[in-house]
Amino acid sequence: MKELVEVIAKALVDNPEEVVVTEKEDGKITTIELHVAPSDMGKVIGKQGRIAKAIRAVVKAAALGDKKHVDVEII
């Protein structure tokens, strides 16, 4: 899942070298943290959070095959 979020984020931002994705597992819940440059934050979140919601939806759909619960946090 980490690689999926990284590929999506790098395609959206102007500074792909500043994209950092970390993955933390706590039992059945996996949290993926996405760090981007402050100037790229709006591009990752989108108007009214639409892009952020879409990223979360894609990751959750991909996680269904693994039967995991995945949360994506944009920091």
Side-chain angles (χ1 to χ4, degrees):
M1 296 303 139
K2 177 180 172 183
E3 295 82 15
L4 176 63
V5 173
E6 189 172 352
V7 168
I8 293 171
K10 284 185 178 184
L12 293 171
V13 299
D14 289 332
N15 302 312
E17 65 278 353
E18 294 189 36
V19 172
V20 178
V21 181
T22 57
E23 188 173 37
K24 298 178 183 176
E25 290 195 32
D26 184 25
K28 292 183 180 179
I29 299 173
T30 302
T31 303
I32 298 175
E33 293 180 353
L34 172 60
H35 301 267
V36 296
S39 60
D40 290 327
M41 189 64 75
K43 292 180 179 160
V44 174
I45 295 174
K47 289 186 179 183
Q48 297 180 356
R50 289 183 184 164
I51 294 175
K53 288 178 189 174
I55 292 171
R56 289 183 180 112
V58 168
V59 170
K60 286 185 181 190
L64 286 176
D66 296 337
K67 296 184 180 179
K68 289 184 176 181
H69 179 77
V70 179
D71 290 329
V72 178
E73 295 181 6
I74 301 171
I75 301 172

Coordinates of all heavy atoms in Angstrom, one line a residue:
M1 N 0.8 -1.2 0.0 CA 0.0 0.0 0.0 C 0.9 1.3 0.0 O 0.5 2.2 -0.6 CB -0.9 0.0 1.2 CG -1.9 -1.1 1.3 SD -3.0 -1.1 -0.1 CE -3.1 -2.8 -0.3
K2 N 2.0 1.2 0.7 CA 2.9 2.3 0.8 C 3.3 2.8 -0.6 O 3.3 4.0 -0.9 CB 4.1 1.9 1.6 CG 5.1 3.0 1.7 CD 6.3 2.5 2.6 CE 7.4 3.4 2.6 NZ 8.6 3.0 3.3
E3 N 3.7 1.8 -1.5 CA 4.1 2.2 -2.8 C 3.0 2.8 -3.6 O 3.2 3.7 -4.4 CB 4.6 0.9 -3.5 CG 5.9 0.3 -2.9 CD 5.6 -0.6 -1.7 OE1 4.4 -1.0 -1.5 OE2 6.5 -0.9 -0.9
L4 N 1.8 2.3 -3.5 CA 0.6 2.8 -4.2 C 0.4 4.3 -3.8 O 0.3 5.2 -4.7 CB -0.6 2.0 -3.8 CG -1.9 2.5 -4.4 CD1 -1.9 2.5 -6.0 CD2 -3.1 1.7 -3.9
V5 N 0.4 4.7 -2.6 CA 0.3 6.0 -2.1 C 1.4 6.9 -2.7 O 1.2 8.0 -3.1 CB 0.2 6.1 -0.6 CG1 0.2 7.6 -0.1 CG2 -1.1 5.4 -0.1
E6 N 2.6 6.4 -2.6 CA 3.8 7.1 -3.1 C 3.7 7.4 -4.6 O 3.9 8.6 -5.0 CB 5.1 6.3 -2.8 CG 6.3 7.1 -3.1 CD 7.5 6.3 -2.6 OE1 7.4 5.3 -1.9 OE2 8.6 6.8 -2.9
V7 N 3.3 6.5 -5.4 CA 3.1 6.7 -6.8 C 2.1 7.7 -7.1 O 2.3 8.6 -8.0 CB 2.8 5.4 -7.6 CG1 2.4 5.6 -9.0 CG2 4.0 4.4 -7.5
I8 N 0.9 7.6 -6.5 CA -0.2 8.6 -6.7 C 0.3 10.0 -6.3 O 0.1 11.0 -7.0 CB -1.4 8.2 -5.9 CG1 -2.0 6.9 -6.5 CG2 -2.5 9.3 -5.9 CD1 -3.1 6.3 -5.6
A9 N 0.9 10.1 -5.1 CA 1.3 11.4 -4.6 C 2.4 12.1 -5.5 O 2.3 13.3 -5.8 CB 1.8 11.3 -3.2
K10 N 3.3 11.3 -5.9 CA 4.4 11.9 -6.8 C 3.8 12.3 -8.1 O 4.4 13.3 -8.7 CB 5.5 10.8 -7.0 CG 6.4 10.7 -5.8 CD 7.6 9.8 -6.1 CE 8.5 9.7 -4.8 NZ 9.7 8.9 -5.1
A11 N 2.8 11.7 -8.6 CA 2.2 12.2 -9.9 C 1.4 13.5 -9.7 O 1.2 14.2 -10.7 CB 1.2 11.1 -10.4
L12 N 1.0 13.8 -8.5 CA 0.2 15.0 -8.2 C 1.0 16.2 -7.9 O 0.5 17.4 -8.3 CB -0.8 14.7 -7.1 CG -1.9 13.7 -7.3 CD1 -2.6 13.4 -6.0 CD2 -2.9 14.2 -8.4
V13 N 2.1 16.1 -7.3 CA 2.9 17.3 -6.8 C 3.9 17.8 -7.7 O 4.3 17.2 -8.7 CB 3.5 16.9 -5.4 CG1 2.5 16.4 -4.4 CG2 4.6 15.8 -5.6
D14 N 4.3 19.1 -7.4 CA 5.4 19.7 -8.2 C 6.8 19.3 -7.7 O 7.8 19.4 -8.5 CB 5.3 21.2 -8.1 CG 4.1 21.8 -8.8 OD1 3.7 21.1 -9.8 OD2 3.6 22.8 -8.4
N15 N 6.9 18.9 -6.5 CA 8.2 18.5 -5.9 C 8.1 17.0 -5.4 O 8.0 16.7 -4.3 CB 8.5 19.3 -4.6 CG 8.5 20.8 -5.0 OD1 9.2 21.2 -5.9 ND2 7.9 21.6 -4.2
P16 N 8.2 16.1 -6.4 CA 8.1 14.7 -6.0 C 9.2 14.1 -5.2 O 9.1 13.2 -4.4 CB 8.1 13.9 -7.4 CG 8.7 14.9 -8.4 CD 8.4 16.3 -7.8
E17 N 10.4 14.8 -5.2 CA 11.5 14.4 -4.3 C 11.2 14.6 -2.8 O 11.9 14.1 -2.0 CB 12.8 15.1 -4.7 CG 12.8 16.6 -4.5 CD 12.2 17.4 -5.6 OE1 11.8 16.8 -6.7 OE2 12.0 18.6 -5.4
E18 N 10.2 15.5 -2.5 CA 9.9 15.7 -1.1 C 8.7 14.9 -0.6 O 8.3 15.1 0.5 CB 9.6 17.2 -0.9 CG 10.8 18.1 -1.2 CD 10.5 19.6 -0.8 OE1 9.8 19.8 0.2 OE2 11.0 20.4 -1.5
V19 N 8.3 14.0 -1.4 CA 7.2 13.1 -0.9 C 7.8 12.0 -0.1 O 8.7 11.3 -0.5 CB 6.4 12.4 -2.2 CG1 5.5 11.4 -1.7 CG2 5.7 13.5 -2.9
V20 N 7.3 11.8 1.1 CA 7.7 10.8 2.1 C 6.5 10.0 2.5 O 5.6 10.6 3.0 CB 8.5 11.4 3.2 CG1 8.9 10.3 4.2 CG2 9.7 12.2 2.8
V21 N 6.5 8.7 2.4 CA 5.4 7.9 2.8 C 5.9 6.9 3.9 O 6.9 6.2 3.6 CB 4.8 7.1 1.7 CG1 3.6 6.3 2.1 CG2 4.3 8.1 0.6
T22 N 5.3 6.9 5.0 CA 5.6 5.9 6.1 C 4.4 5.0 6.4 O 3.3 5.5 6.2 CB 6.1 6.6 7.4 OG1 5.1 7.5 7.8 CG2 7.4 7.4 7.1
E23 N 4.7 3.8 6.8 CA 3.7 2.9 7.1 C 3.8 2.3 8.5 O 4.9 1.9 8.9 CB 3.7 1.7 6.1 CG 2.6 0.8 6.1 CD 2.7 -0.2 5.0 OE1 3.8 -0.7 4.6 OE2 1.6 -0.6 4.5
K24 N 2.7 2.4 9.3 CA 2.8 1.9 10.7 C 1.7 0.9 10.9 O 0.5 1.1 10.5 CB 2.6 3.1 11.7 CG 3.6 4.1 11.6 CD 3.3 5.2 12.6 CE 4.3 6.3 12.5 NZ 4.0 7.5 13.3
E25 N 2.0 -0.3 11.4 CA 1.0 -1.3 11.7 C 0.8 -1.4 13.2 O 1.7 -1.5 14.0 CB 1.5 -2.7 11.1 CG 1.6 -2.7 9.6 CD 1.7 -4.1 9.0 OE1 1.2 -5.0 9.7 OE2 2.3 -4.2 8.0
D26 N -0.5 -1.5 13.5 CA -1.0 -1.6 14.9 C -2.1 -2.7 14.9 O -3.2 -2.4 14.7 CB -1.5 -0.3 15.4 CG -1.8 -0.4 16.9 OD1 -1.3 -1.3 17.6 OD2 -2.7 0.4 17.3
G27 N -1.7 -4.0 15.0 CA -2.6 -5.0 15.0 C -3.2 -5.2 13.6 O -2.5 -5.4 12.6
K28 N -4.5 -5.1 13.4 CA -5.1 -5.2 12.1 C -5.2 -3.9 11.4 O -5.6 -3.9 10.2 CB -6.6 -5.8 12.3 CG -6.6 -7.2 12.8 CD -8.0 -7.7 12.9 CE -8.1 -9.1 13.4 NZ -9.5 -9.6 13.5
I29 N -4.9 -2.8 12.0 CA -5.0 -1.5 11.4 C -3.6 -1.0 10.9 O -2.6 -1.0 11.6 CB -5.6 -0.4 12.4 CG1 -7.0 -0.9 12.8 CG2 -5.6 0.9 11.7 CD1 -7.6 0.0 13.9
T30 N -3.5 -0.6 9.6 CA -2.3 -0.1 9.1 C -2.6 1.4 8.8 O -3.6 1.8 8.2 CB -1.9 -0.8 7.8 OG1 -1.8 -2.2 8.0 CG2 -0.7 -0.2 7.2
T31 N -1.7 2.3 9.3 CA -1.8 3.7 9.0 C -0.6 4.1 8.1 O 0.5 3.8 8.3 CB -1.6 4.5 10.3 OG1 -2.7 4.0 11.2 CG2 -1.8 6.0 10.1
I32 N -1.0 4.8 7.0 CA 0.0 5.3 6.0 C 0.0 6.8 6.1 O -1.1 7.4 6.0 CB -0.4 4.8 4.6 CG1 -0.4 3.3 4.5 CG2 0.5 5.5 3.6 CD1 -0.9 2.8 3.2
E33 N 1.1 7.3 6.4 CA 1.3 8.8 6.6 C 2.0 9.3 5.3 O 3.0 8.8 4.9 CB 2.1 9.1 7.8 CG 1.4 8.8 9.1 CD 2.3 9.1 10.3 OE1 3.5 9.5 10.1 OE2 1.7 9.0 11.4
L34 N 1.4 10.3 4.7 CA 1.9 10.9 3.5 C 2.4 12.4 3.9 O 1.6 13.2 4.3 CB 0.8 11.0 2.4 CG 1.1 11.8 1.2 CD1 2.3 11.2 0.4 CD2 -0.1 11.8 0.3
H35 N 3.7 12.6 3.7 CA 4.3 13.9 3.9 C 4.6 14.5 2.6 O 5.3 13.9 1.8 CB 5.5 13.8 4.8 CG 5.3 13.2 6.1 ND1 5.0 13.9 7.2 CD2 5.3 11.9 6.5 CE1 4.9 13.1 8.3 NE2 5.0 11.8 7.8
V36 N 4.2 15.8 2.3 CA 4.5 16.5 1.1 C 5.0 17.9 1.5 O 4.9 18.3 2.6 CB 3.3 16.6 0.1 CG1 2.9 15.2 -0.3 CG2 2.2 17.3 0.8
A37 N 5.6 18.5 0.5 CA 6.1 19.9 0.7 C 4.8 20.8 1.0 O 3.8 20.6 0.5 CB 6.8 20.4 -0.5
P38 N 5.0 21.8 1.9 CA 3.9 22.7 2.2 C 3.2 23.3 1.0 O 2.0 23.5 0.9 CB 4.5 23.8 3.1 CG 5.7 23.1 3.7 CD 6.2 22.1 2.7
S39 N 4.0 23.6 0.0 CA 3.5 24.2 -1.3 C 2.7 23.2 -2.1 O 1.8 23.6 -2.9 CB 4.6 24.8 -2.1 OG 5.5 23.7 -2.5
D40 N 2.8 21.9 -1.8 CA 2.1 20.9 -2.6 C 0.9 20.4 -1.8 O 0.1 19.5 -2.3 CB 3.0 19.7 -2.9 CG 4.0 20.1 -4.0 OD1 3.7 20.9 -4.9 OD2 5.1 19.5 -3.9
M41 N 0.7 20.8 -0.6 CA -0.4 20.3 0.2 C -1.8 20.5 -0.4 O -2.6 19.6 -0.4 CB -0.4 21.0 1.6 CG -1.3 20.4 2.6 SD -0.9 18.7 3.1 CE 0.5 19.0 4.1
G42 N -2.0 21.6 -1.0 CA -3.3 21.9 -1.7 C -3.5 20.9 -2.9 O -4.7 20.5 -3.1
K43 N -2.5 20.5 -3.6 CA -2.6 19.6 -4.7 C -3.0 18.2 -4.3 O -3.7 17.5 -5.0 CB -1.4 19.6 -5.5 CG -1.1 20.9 -6.2 CD 0.1 20.9 -7.0 CE 0.2 22.3 -7.7 NZ 1.5 22.7 -8.1
V44 N -2.5 17.8 -3.1 CA -2.8 16.5 -2.6 C -4.2 16.4 -2.0 O -4.9 15.4 -2.1 CB -1.7 16.0 -1.6 CG1 -2.0 14.7 -1.0 CG2 -0.4 15.9 -2.3
I45 N -4.6 17.5 -1.3 CA -5.9 17.5 -0.7 C -7.0 17.8 -1.7 O -8.0 17.2 -1.7 CB -5.9 18.6 0.5 CG1 -4.9 18.1 1.6 CG2 -7.3 18.7 1.0 CD1 -4.7 19.1 2.7
G46 N -6.8 18.8 -2.5 CA -7.8 19.2 -3.6 C -8.9 20.0 -3.0 O -9.0 20.2 -1.8
K47 N -9.8 20.5 -3.9 CA -10.9 21.3 -3.4 C -11.9 20.5 -2.6 O -12.3 19.4 -3.1 CB -11.6 21.9 -4.6 CG -10.8 23.0 -5.3 CD -11.6 23.7 -6.4 CE -10.7 24.7 -7.1 NZ -11.5 25.5 -8.1
Q48 N -12.2 21.0 -1.5 CA -13.1 20.3 -0.5 C -12.7 18.9 -0.2 O -13.5 18.0 0.1 CB -14.5 20.3 -1.1 CG -15.1 21.7 -1.3 CD -16.5 21.7 -1.8 OE1 -17.0 20.6 -2.1 NE2 -17.1 22.9 -1.9
G49 N -11.3 18.6 -0.3 CA -10.8 17.3 0.0 C -11.1 16.2 -0.9 O -10.9 15.0 -0.6
R50 N -11.5 16.5 -2.1 CA -11.9 15.5 -3.1 C -10.7 14.6 -3.5 O -10.9 13.3 -3.6 CB -12.5 16.1 -4.3 CG -13.8 16.7 -4.1 CD -14.4 17.3 -5.3 NE -15.7 17.9 -5.0 CZ -16.3 18.7 -5.8 NH1 -15.8 19.0 -7.0 NH2 -17.4 19.3 -5.4
I51 N -9.5 15.1 -3.7 CA -8.4 14.3 -4.1 C -8.0 13.4 -2.9 O -7.7 12.2 -3.1 CB -7.2 15.1 -4.6 CG1 -7.6 15.8 -5.9 CG2 -6.0 14.3 -4.8 CD1 -6.6 16.8 -6.5
A52 N -8.0 13.9 -1.7 CA -7.6 13.1 -0.5 C -8.6 12.0 -0.3 O -8.2 10.9 0.0 CB -7.6 14.0 0.7
K53 N -9.9 12.3 -0.5 CA -10.9 11.2 -0.4 C -10.7 10.1 -1.5 O -10.9 9.0 -1.2 CB -12.3 11.8 -0.5 CG -12.7 12.6 0.6 CD -14.1 13.2 0.4 CE -14.5 14.2 1.5 NZ -15.7 14.9 1.2
A54 N -10.3 10.6 -2.7 CA -10.1 9.6 -3.8 C -8.9 8.7 -3.5 O -8.9 7.5 -3.7 CB -9.9 10.4 -5.1
I55 N -7.8 9.3 -2.9 CA -6.6 8.5 -2.6 C -7.0 7.5 -1.5 O -6.7 6.3 -1.6 CB -5.5 9.4 -2.0 CG1 -5.0 10.3 -3.2 CG2 -4.4 8.6 -1.4 CD1 -4.0 11.4 -2.7
R56 N -7.8 7.9 -0.5 CA -8.2 7.0 0.6 C -9.1 5.9 0.0 O -9.0 4.7 0.4 CB -8.9 7.8 1.7 CG -8.0 8.6 2.5 CD -8.8 9.3 3.6 NE -7.8 10.2 4.3 CZ -7.9 11.5 4.3 NH1 -8.8 12.2 3.7 NH2 -7.0 12.2 5.0
A57 N -10.0 6.2 -0.9 CA -10.9 5.2 -1.5 C -10.1 4.2 -2.3 O -10.4 3.0 -2.2 CB -11.9 5.9 -2.4
V58 N -9.1 4.6 -3.1 CA -8.3 3.7 -3.9 C -7.5 2.8 -2.9 O -7.4 1.5 -3.2 CB -7.3 4.5 -4.8 CG1 -6.3 3.5 -5.4 CG2 -8.1 5.2 -5.9
V59 N -6.9 3.3 -1.9 CA -6.1 2.5 -1.0 C -7.0 1.5 -0.2 O -6.7 0.3 -0.1 CB -5.4 3.4 0.0 CG1 -4.7 2.6 1.2 CG2 -4.3 4.2 -0.7
K60 N -8.2 1.9 0.2 CA -9.1 1.0 0.9 C -9.6 -0.1 -0.1 O -9.7 -1.2 0.4 CB -10.3 1.8 1.5 CG -9.9 2.6 2.7 CD -11.1 3.2 3.3 CE -10.6 4.0 4.5 NZ -11.7 4.5 5.4
A61 N -9.8 0.2 -1.3 CA -10.2 -0.8 -2.3 C -9.1 -1.8 -2.5 O -9.4 -3.0 -2.6 CB -10.6 -0.1 -3.6
A62 N -7.9 -1.3 -2.6 CA -6.7 -2.2 -2.8 C -6.5 -3.1 -1.5 O -6.1 -4.2 -1.6 CB -5.5 -1.4 -3.1
A63 N -6.9 -2.6 -0.3 CA -6.7 -3.3 0.9 C -7.7 -4.4 1.1 O -7.5 -5.3 1.9 CB -6.7 -2.3 2.1
L64 N -8.8 -4.3 0.4 CA -9.9 -5.3 0.6 C -9.4 -6.7 0.2 O -9.8 -7.7 0.8 CB -11.1 -5.0 -0.3 CG -12.0 -3.8 0.2 CD1 -13.1 -3.5 -0.8 CD2 -12.5 -4.1 1.6
G65 N -8.5 -6.8 -0.8 CA -7.9 -8.0 -1.2 C -7.1 -8.7 -0.1 O -7.0 -9.9 0.0
D66 N -6.4 -7.8 0.7 CA -5.6 -8.3 1.8 C -6.4 -8.5 3.1 O -5.8 -8.9 4.1 CB -4.4 -7.3 2.0 CG -3.5 -7.3 0.9 OD1 -3.5 -8.2 0.1 OD2 -2.8 -6.2 0.7
K67 N -7.6 -8.1 3.1 CA -8.5 -8.1 4.3 C -7.9 -7.3 5.4 O -7.8 -7.8 6.6 CB -8.8 -9.5 4.7 CG -9.6 -10.3 3.7 CD -10.0 -11.6 4.1 CE -10.8 -12.3 3.0 NZ -11.2 -13.7 3.3
K68 N -7.4 -6.1 5.1 CA -6.8 -5.2 6.1 C -7.6 -4.0 6.2 O -8.3 -3.6 5.2 CB -5.4 -4.9 5.8 CG -4.4 -6.0 5.9 CD -3.0 -5.4 5.6 CE -1.9 -6.4 5.8 NZ -0.6 -5.9 5.6
H69 N -7.5 -3.2 7.3 CA -8.0 -1.9 7.4 C -6.9 -0.9 7.3 O -6.0 -1.0 8.1 CB -8.8 -1.7 8.8 CG -9.4 -0.4 8.9 ND1 -10.5 0.0 8.3 CD2 -8.9 0.7 9.6 CE1 -10.8 1.2 8.6 NE2 -9.8 1.7 9.4
V70 N -7.0 0.0 6.3 CA -5.9 0.9 6.1 C -6.4 2.3 6.2 O -7.5 2.7 5.6 CB -5.3 0.7 4.7 CG1 -4.2 1.7 4.4 CG2 -4.8 -0.7 4.5
D71 N -5.7 3.2 7.0 CA -6.0 4.6 7.1 C -4.9 5.4 6.4 O -3.8 5.0 6.6 CB -6.1 5.0 8.5 CG -7.4 4.5 9.2 OD1 -8.4 4.3 8.5 OD2 -7.3 4.2 10.4
V72 N -5.3 6.4 5.7 CA -4.3 7.3 5.1 C -4.4 8.7 5.7 O -5.4 9.3 5.8 CB -4.5 7.4 3.6 CG1 -3.5 8.4 2.9 CG2 -4.4 6.1 2.9
E73 N -3.3 9.1 6.3 CA -3.2 10.5 6.9 C -2.3 11.3 6.0 O -1.1 10.9 5.7 CB -2.6 10.4 8.3 CG -3.5 9.6 9.3 CD -3.0 9.6 10.7 OE1 -1.9 10.2 10.9 OE2 -3.6 8.9 11.5
I74 N -2.7 12.5 5.7 CA -1.9 13.5 4.9 C -1.4 14.5 5.9 O -2.2 15.2 6.5 CB -2.8 14.1 3.8 CG1 -3.3 13.0 2.9 CG2 -1.9 15.1 3.0 CD1 -4.3 13.4 1.8
I75 N -0.1 14.6 6.0 CA 0.5 15.5 6.9 C 1.4 16.5 6.2 O 2.1 16.2 5.4 CB 1.4 14.7 8.0 CG1 0.5 13.7 8.7 CG2 2.1 15.6 8.9 CD1 1.2 12.7 9.5

